[in-house]
Amino acid sequence: MKSGPTGRGPGRPTNGPTKGPTSGATGRPTGKSAAPKGAPKPPSRGRSAGKSFPVAKDGAKPGKGFGAKFGAKKPTGKSGPPRDTKDVARKAPARTAKPKVEKVAVAPKPVKDAGVTLDVRQFRVAQDDDGIRLDRWFQRHLPDVGFNVVSRWARTGQLRLDGARAAPGDRVADGQTIRVPPAEAKAPRPEKPARAKKQILLSDDEIAFAQDMVIHRDDQAIVLNKPPGLATQGGTKTDSHVDGLLDALMFDSEQRPKLVHRLDKDTSGALLIARSARSAGYFAKAFSSRTARKIYWALVVGVPDVRDGMIDLPLAKQPGTGGEKMHVDEKEGLPARTRYRIIERAGNRAAWVELQPFSGRTHQLRVHMAAIGHPIVGDGKYGGKESFLSGTISRKMHLHARRIRIDHPDGGHVDVMAELPTHFAESMADMAFDMELGDMPLDDEIDTTPTRDDEKKFARQHAKAVRKERRGERRGRGTR
């Protein structure tokens, strides 16, 4: 039997001459290539055998990993031509059509004009806006900018007040500069038919009636002498009211006046109206902080025992009346205080009193006087039949806001007195009250500076005290 060159069996063909050295007499190849130094290596027969990879211009292998995403290039560590050049020619164009190196050189596309202003806007706070919140300022002057947009500008630091970051709830001051970011483009909205603005038309008689009520007017305030029977604001079955007549009180101003407090429908007297948004906020704060002073005149049934007294009774809405009536409620009522001073009395039949509310509860003066047994004349709601006097005394309610004193936004005070309505003045005349006794000074208006007589009286009292001490000393020495 003959053996083949490898010695594995007879007639087994070989793949050709062995390219490497053989070992011993068997003539088996060692597995090491005998190719000359520097010759290209044959392709590996592992998993990547038979596959081809496109090669970038700089010899790097493109990929889709983390490094390829941010432009890093990792060398493959392999060199040499691919095994099948036809396969490379067929697959390479699909992988190397848009190399990443070329994308860097592409110029960015210009942003389309969306109607956005690139200029930062700056506004100076006017005097009428002094003290208001920043979001309220936007409502007044930039109503197209919503609260959410203002909040986002504040969070991102784009909204500035005198160069410092601002929040929607910050208060602005006169003269400050508000830095507002560029206007943002809004998506176009479908066009809607414009609504006709509600126009309040007043007749010549209504305009004349409203202007005849004015007893004081300046740049910031108007004071009316409201007649009894005219409501301050509208409501159910109430068509005629002061609020509906405010258009007639604009005069030379472009702003519609604003109510800052109210009087009951049957109560007459001084009613303050603000002429601007700034003065409205200022007056409202004065009323809430109780720095404003309101003086009322009233005729009451009977005569209180205490000439100068304080009524401190909590008030609440009376159940079952729909909130139209108040009553004293010691448990759940809100604090309410009223000071009264008797000005003059008509025997035991009636008394002319001055009332000062130190809180602002609904119907406070009427409920308090009825609670101490002296209801206001003509107030059948709280006084019942006992509140009506016989004779020529009118059955209308005798409660009148005689005086209002409040700090003025521009300095000083608004201090105005309102004349009595006809029915009240006639009742005063029938009872022979002296009108000169009515306007009593407020506590802070009383001059406490001692007079010459006060000084003499104090000197006499001091001398008497000294003499008494000396008598006590002499008696003490005599007992020793």
Side-chain angles (χ1 to χ4, degrees):
M1 180 183 294
K2 295 181 181 181
S3 63
T6 60
R8 292 184 180 181
R12 186 165 183 172
T14 62
N15 291 331
T18 303
K19 294 183 179 181
T22 58
S23 61
T26 61
R28 239 176 230 186
T30 61
K32 294 183 180 180
S33 173
K37 188 175 182 180
K41 296 181 180 180
S44 172
R45 296 199 179 194
R47 293 182 180 180
S48 61
K51 295 184 179 180
S52 59
F53 298 91
V55 180
K57 293 182 179 180
D58 55 358
K61 177 181 177 181
K64 297 183 179 180
F66 183 84
K69 180 179 180 181
F70 293 93
K73 299 177 181 179
K74 182 178 179 181
T76 60
K78 298 181 180 180
S79 62
R83 181 176 183 183
D84 188 355
T85 57
K86 292 182 180 180
D87 187 36
V88 173
R90 183 173 60 255
K91 296 183 179 181
R95 301 291 297 272
T96 60
K98 294 181 180 180
K100 294 184 178 296
V101 177
E102 295 180 3
K103 286 186 177 180
V104 178
V106 177
K109 295 182 180 180
V111 180
K112 294 182 179 180
D113 185 13
V116 178
T117 304
L118 299 180
D119 296 333
V120 174
R121 298 168 290 172
Q122 292 188 354
F123 301 89
R124 187 173 295 276
V125 179
Q127 187 177 11
D128 287 345
D129 298 325
D130 183 56
I132 67 171
R133 287 167 53 104
L134 189 56
D135 53 354
R136 293 293 303 275
W137 182 91
F138 274 94
Q139 291 179 8
R140 290 183 184 179
H141 302 284
L142 296 176
D144 293 339
V145 180
F147 180 79
N148 292 336
V149 176
V150 176
S151 300
R152 186 176 73 250
W153 285 347
R155 289 195 305 270
T156 56
Q158 300 181 74
L159 186 61
R160 300 275 175 163
L161 189 61
D162 277 349
R165 295 183 65 160
D170 292 345
R171 301 280 178 175
V172 298
D174 180 21
Q176 286 186 317
T177 301
I178 302 176
R179 178 190 180 276
V180 180
E184 298 182 357
K186 293 185 177 180
R189 295 182 179 180
E191 295 183 0
K192 295 182 179 180
R195 294 182 179 179
K197 294 183 178 179
K198 183 180 179 181
Q199 296 181 353
I200 302 177
L201 301 178
L202 299 176
S203 65
D204 293 340
D205 291 341
E206 290 174 327
I207 295 175
F209 173 74
Q211 294 182 356
D212 287 343
M213 289 190 294
V214 177
I215 57 177
H216 171 82
R217 188 182 81 186
D218 58 42
D219 293 339
Q220 302 296 337
I222 293 175
V223 180
L224 306 180
N225 187 359
K226 187 186 82 65
L230 178 64
T232 305
Q233 291 177 296
T236 305
K237 298 181 181 181
T238 303
D239 298 328
S240 180
H241 45 82
V242 175
D243 192 24
L245 300 173
L246 292 182
D247 286 340
L249 303 178
M250 294 177 62
F251 297 105
D252 55 347
S253 175
E254 296 181 357
Q255 301 184 47
R256 189 176 189 267
K258 302 177 183 298
L259 296 171
V260 290
H261 72 120
R262 62 185 299 273
L263 294 176
D264 293 342
K265 180 178 179 179
D266 295 325
T267 302
S268 59
L271 180 66
L272 180 69
I273 309 292
R275 299 195 67 188
S276 65
R278 180 174 74 94
S279 61
Y282 186 90
F283 291 142
K285 185 176 181 181
F287 281 113
S288 62
S289 61
R290 310 303 174 195
T291 59
R293 284 287 175 263
K294 293 183 290 183
I295 307 299
Y296 291 80
W297 281 356
L299 291 183
V300 298
V301 178
V303 181
D305 295 334
V306 180
R307 187 173 186 84
D308 187 342
M310 182 72 72
I311 305 173
D312 191 351
L313 296 173
L315 302 179
K317 292 182 179 180
Q318 184 172 330
T321 62
E324 295 294 329
K325 195 173 181 180
M326 307 291 288
H327 73 134
V328 176
D329 190 340
E330 296 284 355
K331 295 182 178 180
E332 299 181 359
L334 297 175
R337 298 173 66 241
T338 301
R339 181 186 181 183
Y340 72 89
R341 294 191 289 184
I342 298 176
I343 302 174
E344 198 174 2
R345 57 188 293 175
N348 293 327
R349 183 187 184 195
W352 173 22
V353 297
E354 176 197 87
L355 303 174
Q356 295 183 43
F358 289 93
S359 54
R361 309 302 174 200
T362 303
H363 301 169
Q364 175 178 321
L365 304 180
R366 300 163 63 181
V367 178
H368 273 176
M369 295 310 297
I372 64 173
H374 301 282
I376 296 174
V377 174
D379 186 12
K381 188 169 190 175
Y382 292 100
K385 295 181 179 180
E386 296 179 358
S387 64
F388 299 102
L389 299 179
S390 60
T392 59
I393 304 301
S394 173
R395 295 180 65 86
K396 293 182 179 180
M397 189 165 67
H398 290 68
L399 179 61
H400 177 73
R402 168 63 176 174
R403 179 184 178 188
I404 184 169
R405 192 191 72 175
I406 190 171
D407 294 339
H408 195 280
D410 298 334
H413 296 86
V414 176
D415 195 345
V416 183
M417 294 183 182
E419 295 297 329
L420 288 172
T422 303
H423 76 281
F424 203 141
E426 292 176 352
S427 298
M428 296 281 287
D430 290 344
M431 294 185 181
F433 287 132
D434 186 359
M435 295 294 296
E436 294 183 357
L437 301 177
D439 295 316
M440 303 171 66
L442 299 174
D443 290 342
D444 56 357
E445 294 177 334
I446 299 176
D447 187 7
T448 57
T449 304
T451 62
R452 182 63 178 169
D453 294 337
D454 294 335
E455 292 177 355
K456 290 181 180 180
K457 182 178 180 181
F458 176 77
R460 288 194 298 268
Q461 291 177 348
H462 179 68
K464 183 177 180 180
V466 171
R467 289 194 299 269
K468 186 180 292 186
E469 291 178 359
R470 288 179 179 177
R471 284 198 300 268
E473 292 177 358
R474 288 196 296 269
R475 290 173 183 172
R477 288 197 298 268
T479 56
R480 292 176 184 175

